[in-house]
Structures are given as C-alpha cells and as structure tokens.
Amino acid sequence: MGNLDALVATAREARERAYCPYSGYAVGAAVLGADGVIYSGCNVENASYGLTVCAERTAIFAMVAAGCRSIREVVVATQDSGTPCGACRQVMSEFIESPEDVLVHCVDDSGGIRSLRFSELLPHAFRLGRDRG
Ligand code: THU
C-alpha cells in the first residue's frame, strides 16, 4: 500500500471512532510524521460544546506526544470532503516546516478527494519562529 492509500485507510478507520453525539458529523484524520509513523485522530465532542476537539488536532497532539514534531502529509476523512477548520490549520502550521511541500487531502465517503498544499490552505500563517523548545 502506498503512503496515500495507507493514510486514507487510517483516517477512515479513525472516523469510525469519532465521538460526535451532538453534531452527528464524524471526522477522522491521519498525519504522516517525519518519523514515517502514521498518527490518527477523531473528533471528540463534549456536552459543554466548546470543549470539543477536532480530529486533526487529536492526531497532531498524538504525534507530538509520541516525540515527533514535523508533519509530512495529512488526510482528513468526512462525509463531504470538508476542509480543516481555521483552528486546526493554525495548529498544523506549528509543525509544518515547508508549507509548499505538505499536502492536505480531504476525502469523502464515496472516493472523492480534494488535495491542497498547506500553503494554499493557510497563506500568511502566524508564526513566531522556529525555536520551539
Ligand atoms: N470538526 C473536526 O473534527 N475537524 C474540523 O476541521 C472541523 C470540525 C468536528 C468538530 C465537531 O465535532 C464536528 O466536526 C462539527 O463541527
């Protein structure tokens, strides 16, 4: 299986674990780290709605918690190939070294795929520099 196929399969599997009783909108994400490992996440909602965490951030935080700080490629799986929200784009930006080279693929239920460079998804990203402790 190629990288992209494996990422899509992982994002779709993660989507099945989404906890979304309030919105009913399930999201799965798969992030390929610079370490070659695929990290996955799903959205996790809460009765206090604002505490909900998106699938993309769940996956990125799993990557960082495992010791990897660089994103190579991302897949987001939804019913309608929805693109990542603004908050998740900002969090991705923190861990993307070369925005032109990182692709974000948004896939739907029926095989549709929308692929964007991260630089298209979040132009003029807010950055404080590379010294990230
Ligand atoms: N959601 C994500 O998981 N990722 C996004 O980029 C957009 C929104 C989730 C949050 C919430 O659980 C549901 O989708 C509806 O907004």
Side-chain angles (χ1 to χ4, degrees):
M1 212 190 294
N3 262 347
L4 183 54
D5 288 343
L7 281 168
V8 169
T10 301
R12 289 206 169 114
E13 281 162 23
R15 182 169 175 247
E16 284 169 25
R17 298 189 289 272
Y19 177 72
C20 54
Y22 305 105
S23 74
Y25 188 81
V27 186
V31 172
L32 177 64
D35 58 358
V37 175
I38 297 176
Y39 298 93
S40 67
C42 60
N43 52 332
V44 182
E45 299 189 343
N46 192 277
S48 177
Y49 298 167
L51 299 183
T52 292
V53 181
C54 293
E56 297 90 325
R57 275 177 283 161
T58 313
I60 293 164
F61 294 160
M63 180 192 82
V64 175
C68 177
R69 295 181 175 185
S70 181
I71 295 171
R72 204 187 279 168
E73 198 166 2
V74 179
V75 169
V76 183
T78 59
Q79 61 192 31
D80 54 2
S81 61
T83 55
C85 80
C88 290
R89 295 178 199 199
Q90 181 62 31
V91 170
M92 286 179 198
S93 172
E94 188 79 15
F95 301 105
I96 289 178
E97 268 136 48
S98 180
E100 295 280 330
D101 300 328
V102 171
L103 292 175
V104 177
H105 310 276
C106 305
V107 301
D108 65 21
D109 280 339
S110 43
I113 183 160
R114 177 153 59 149
S115 299
L116 295 161
R117 292 179 190 283
F118 186 71
S119 54
E120 299 175 89
L121 210 50
L122 186 60
H124 313 293
F126 175 73
R127 308 278 291 234
L128 274 182
R130 304 309 309 167
D131 199 12
R132 288 182 265 120

